[in-house]
mmCIF file of all heavy atoms in Angstrom:
data_model
loop_
_atom_site.group_PDB
_atom_site.id
_atom_site.type_symbol
_atom_site.label_atom_id
_atom_site.label_comp_id
_atom_site.label_asym_id
_atom_site.label_seq_id
_atom_site.Cartn_x
_atom_site.Cartn_y
_atom_site.Cartn_z
ATOM 1 N N GLU A 258 -3.416 74.033 -89.975
ATOM 2 C CA GLU A 258 -2.557 74.508 -90.996
ATOM 3 C C GLU A 258 -3.267 74.345 -92.418
ATOM 4 O O GLU A 258 -4.069 73.449 -92.536
ATOM 5 C CB GLU A 258 -1.122 73.812 -91.141
ATOM 6 C CG GLU A 258 -0.218 74.417 -89.988
ATOM 7 C CD GLU A 258 0.430 75.584 -90.516
ATOM 8 O OE1 GLU A 258 -0.125 76.784 -90.252
ATOM 9 O OE2 GLU A 258 1.542 75.636 -91.122
ATOM 10 N N LYS A 389 0.917 83.273 -89.866
ATOM 11 C CA LYS A 389 2.144 82.489 -89.722
ATOM 12 C C LYS A 389 2.052 81.479 -88.674
ATOM 13 O O LYS A 389 1.505 81.746 -87.583
ATOM 14 C CB LYS A 389 3.301 83.316 -89.698
ATOM 15 C CG LYS A 389 3.521 84.418 -90.797
ATOM 16 C CD LYS A 389 3.913 83.666 -92.066
ATOM 17 C CE LYS A 389 4.162 84.791 -93.194
ATOM 18 N NZ LYS A 389 4.585 84.109 -94.468
ATOM 19 N N LEU A 390 2.731 80.322 -88.833
ATOM 20 C CA LEU A 390 2.696 79.328 -87.870
ATOM 21 C C LEU A 390 3.300 79.824 -86.479
ATOM 22 O O LEU A 390 2.779 79.541 -85.456
ATOM 23 C CB LEU A 390 3.454 78.048 -88.277
ATOM 24 C CG LEU A 390 3.596 76.830 -87.318
ATOM 25 C CD1 LEU A 390 2.104 76.379 -86.765
ATOM 26 C CD2 LEU A 390 4.352 75.719 -87.883
ATOM 27 N N ASP A 391 4.322 80.596 -86.566
ATOM 28 C CA ASP A 391 4.931 81.180 -85.415
ATOM 29 C C ASP A 391 3.952 81.965 -84.569
ATOM 30 O O ASP A 391 3.945 81.945 -83.340
ATOM 31 C CB ASP A 391 6.135 82.075 -85.697
ATOM 32 C CG ASP A 391 7.251 81.179 -86.194
ATOM 33 O OD1 ASP A 391 7.355 80.028 -85.897
ATOM 34 O OD2 ASP A 391 8.277 81.804 -86.752
ATOM 35 N N GLU A 392 3.090 82.721 -85.266
ATOM 36 C CA GLU A 392 1.939 83.496 -84.634
ATOM 37 C C GLU A 392 1.063 82.485 -83.907
ATOM 38 O O GLU A 392 0.647 82.911 -82.815
ATOM 39 C CB GLU A 392 1.341 84.372 -85.711
ATOM 40 C CG GLU A 392 0.205 85.149 -85.296
ATOM 41 C CD GLU A 392 -0.626 85.838 -86.371
ATOM 42 O OE1 GLU A 392 -0.314 85.521 -87.528
ATOM 43 O OE2 GLU A 392 -1.505 86.617 -86.114
ATOM 44 N N ILE A 394 1.523 79.479 -82.783
ATOM 45 C CA ILE A 394 2.191 78.898 -81.569
ATOM 46 C C ILE A 394 2.250 79.900 -80.513
ATOM 47 O O ILE A 394 2.051 79.630 -79.324
ATOM 48 C CB ILE A 394 3.559 78.425 -81.923
ATOM 49 C CG1 ILE A 394 3.423 77.263 -83.003
ATOM 50 C CG2 ILE A 394 4.342 77.950 -80.705
ATOM 51 C CD1 ILE A 394 4.833 76.656 -83.461
ATOM 52 N N ASN A 398 0.515 79.457 -76.746
ATOM 53 C CA ASN A 398 1.294 79.572 -75.565
ATOM 54 C C ASN A 398 0.973 80.721 -74.583
ATOM 55 O O ASN A 398 1.303 80.703 -73.497
ATOM 56 C CB ASN A 398 2.833 79.681 -75.913
ATOM 57 C CG ASN A 398 3.430 78.395 -76.432
ATOM 58 O OD1 ASN A 398 2.811 77.295 -76.287
ATOM 59 N ND2 ASN A 398 4.581 78.477 -77.072
ATOM 60 N N ILE A 408 -1.993 70.143 -83.202
ATOM 61 C CA ILE A 408 -1.788 70.802 -84.532
ATOM 62 C C ILE A 408 -2.153 69.762 -85.660
ATOM 63 O O ILE A 408 -1.796 68.610 -85.559
ATOM 64 C CB ILE A 408 -0.402 71.278 -84.764
ATOM 65 C CG1 ILE A 408 -0.192 71.930 -86.111
ATOM 66 C CG2 ILE A 408 0.652 70.141 -84.587
ATOM 67 C CD1 ILE A 408 1.067 72.684 -86.308
ATOM 68 N N THR A 410 -1.296 69.275 -89.565
ATOM 69 C CA THR A 410 -0.431 69.674 -90.617
ATOM 70 C C THR A 410 0.101 68.431 -91.303
ATOM 71 O O THR A 410 0.274 67.465 -90.803
ATOM 72 C CB THR A 410 0.798 70.545 -90.015
ATOM 73 O OG1 THR A 410 1.548 70.929 -91.156
ATOM 74 C CG2 THR A 410 1.555 69.762 -89.020
ATOM 75 N N VAL A 412 2.919 68.927 -93.018
ATOM 76 C CA VAL A 412 4.337 69.337 -93.232
ATOM 77 C C VAL A 412 5.171 68.763 -91.960
ATOM 78 O O VAL A 412 4.901 69.376 -90.807
ATOM 79 C CB VAL A 412 4.486 70.842 -93.397
ATOM 80 C CG1 VAL A 412 6.008 71.185 -93.517
ATOM 81 C CG2 VAL A 412 3.653 71.296 -94.560
ATOM 82 N N LEU A 413 6.025 67.895 -92.161
ATOM 83 C CA LEU A 413 6.657 67.268 -91.065
ATOM 84 C C LEU A 413 7.441 68.264 -90.226
ATOM 85 O O LEU A 413 7.445 68.153 -89.032
ATOM 86 C CB LEU A 413 7.616 66.092 -91.548
ATOM 87 C CG LEU A 413 8.416 65.357 -90.520
ATOM 88 C CD1 LEU A 413 7.554 64.728 -89.460
ATOM 89 C CD2 LEU A 413 9.373 64.385 -91.261
ATOM 90 N N THR A 414 8.188 69.120 -90.894
ATOM 91 C CA THR A 414 8.963 70.054 -90.164
ATOM 92 C C THR A 414 8.159 71.012 -89.309
ATOM 93 O O THR A 414 8.507 71.437 -88.182
ATOM 94 C CB THR A 414 9.913 70.897 -91.062
ATOM 95 O OG1 THR A 414 9.061 71.503 -92.125
ATOM 96 C CG2 THR A 414 10.932 70.061 -91.717
ATOM 97 N N ASP A 415 7.032 71.361 -89.809
ATOM 98 C CA ASP A 415 6.079 72.215 -89.036
ATOM 99 C C ASP A 415 5.551 71.421 -87.781
ATOM 100 O O ASP A 415 5.372 72.130 -86.650
ATOM 101 C CB ASP A 415 4.910 72.786 -89.876
ATOM 102 C CG ASP A 415 5.321 73.797 -90.883
ATOM 103 O OD1 ASP A 415 6.410 74.338 -90.683
ATOM 104 O OD2 ASP A 415 4.621 74.047 -91.836
ATOM 105 N N ALA A 416 5.219 70.135 -87.988
ATOM 106 C CA ALA A 416 4.803 69.356 -86.877
ATOM 107 C C ALA A 416 5.785 69.378 -85.697
ATOM 108 O O ALA A 416 5.521 69.400 -84.511
ATOM 109 C CB ALA A 416 4.404 67.932 -87.386
ATOM 110 N N MET A 417 7.102 69.088 -86.159
ATOM 111 C CA MET A 417 8.102 68.875 -85.198
ATOM 112 C C MET A 417 8.446 70.277 -84.492
ATOM 113 O O MET A 417 8.776 70.270 -83.281
ATOM 114 C CB MET A 417 9.491 68.333 -85.877
ATOM 115 C CG MET A 417 9.171 66.944 -86.419
ATOM 116 S SD MET A 417 8.453 65.791 -85.298
ATOM 117 C CE MET A 417 9.725 65.645 -84.020
ATOM 118 N N ARG A 418 8.371 71.355 -85.249
ATOM 119 C CA ARG A 418 8.558 72.656 -84.669
ATOM 120 C C ARG A 418 7.469 72.931 -83.586
ATOM 121 O O ARG A 418 7.753 73.413 -82.425
ATOM 122 C CB ARG A 418 8.512 73.790 -85.671
ATOM 123 C CG ARG A 418 8.664 75.187 -85.152
ATOM 124 C CD ARG A 418 9.436 76.063 -86.161
ATOM 125 N NE ARG A 418 8.746 76.027 -87.499
ATOM 126 C CZ ARG A 418 8.022 77.040 -87.877
ATOM 127 N NH1 ARG A 418 7.904 78.164 -87.145
ATOM 128 N NH2 ARG A 418 7.464 77.040 -89.099
ATOM 129 N N ALA A 419 6.253 72.606 -83.912
ATOM 130 C CA ALA A 419 5.095 72.774 -82.929
ATOM 131 C C ALA A 419 5.321 71.923 -81.723
ATOM 132 O O ALA A 419 5.163 72.360 -80.596
ATOM 133 C CB ALA A 419 3.787 72.466 -83.597
ATOM 134 N N ALA A 420 5.745 70.677 -81.945
ATOM 135 C CA ALA A 420 6.076 69.776 -80.816
ATOM 136 C C ALA A 420 7.083 70.306 -79.952
ATOM 137 O O ALA A 420 6.987 70.200 -78.733
ATOM 138 C CB ALA A 420 6.408 68.458 -81.344
ATOM 139 N N ASP A 421 8.106 70.965 -80.451
ATOM 140 C CA ASP A 421 9.200 71.506 -79.639
ATOM 141 C C ASP A 421 8.754 72.803 -78.965
ATOM 142 O O ASP A 421 9.198 73.088 -77.829
ATOM 143 C CB ASP A 421 10.441 71.777 -80.554
ATOM 144 C CG ASP A 421 11.147 70.514 -80.936
ATOM 145 O OD1 ASP A 421 10.847 69.434 -80.252
ATOM 146 O OD2 ASP A 421 11.909 70.486 -81.909
ATOM 147 N N GLU A 422 8.013 73.615 -79.650
ATOM 148 C CA GLU A 422 7.832 75.016 -79.046
ATOM 149 C C GLU A 422 6.436 75.236 -78.325
ATOM 150 O O GLU A 422 6.346 76.174 -77.622
ATOM 151 C CB GLU A 422 7.851 76.003 -80.294
ATOM 152 C CG GLU A 422 9.197 76.020 -80.983
ATOM 153 C CD GLU A 422 9.294 76.946 -82.099
ATOM 154 O OE1 GLU A 422 8.331 77.754 -82.343
ATOM 155 O OE2 GLU A 422 10.295 77.047 -82.855
ATOM 156 N N ILE A 423 5.525 74.396 -78.491
ATOM 157 C CA ILE A 423 4.358 74.465 -77.767
ATOM 158 C C ILE A 423 4.506 74.133 -76.337
ATOM 159 O O ILE A 423 5.104 73.120 -75.980
ATOM 160 C CB ILE A 423 3.200 73.611 -78.391
ATOM 161 C CG1 ILE A 423 2.691 74.219 -79.691
ATOM 162 C CG2 ILE A 423 1.955 73.538 -77.436
ATOM 163 C CD1 ILE A 423 1.657 73.445 -80.458
ATOM 164 N N VAL A 428 1.561 67.286 -76.638
ATOM 165 C CA VAL A 428 1.268 67.852 -77.995
ATOM 166 C C VAL A 428 0.761 66.804 -78.841
ATOM 167 O O VAL A 428 1.471 65.775 -79.061
ATOM 168 C CB VAL A 428 2.504 68.558 -78.612
ATOM 169 C CG1 VAL A 428 2.177 69.091 -79.990
ATOM 170 C CG2 VAL A 428 2.981 69.734 -77.615
ATOM 171 N N ILE A 430 -0.340 65.603 -82.544
ATOM 172 C CA ILE A 430 -0.101 65.911 -83.952
ATOM 173 C C ILE A 430 -1.180 65.170 -84.766
ATOM 174 O O ILE A 430 -1.329 64.039 -84.681
ATOM 175 C CB ILE A 430 1.273 65.632 -84.489
ATOM 176 C CG1 ILE A 430 2.331 66.438 -83.560
ATOM 177 C CG2 ILE A 430 1.474 65.847 -85.904
ATOM 178 C CD1 ILE A 430 3.762 66.056 -83.847
#
Side-chain angles (χ1 to χ4, degrees):
E258 280 280 87
K389 300 289 186 181
L390 179 57
D391 287 343
E392 178 187 7
I394 292 173
N398 290 342
I408 181 171
T410 178
V412 180
L413 179 59
T414 53
D415 289 343
M417 298 309 295
R418 179 148 56 105
D421 287 341
E422 295 181 9
I423 287 176
V428 177
I430 299 172

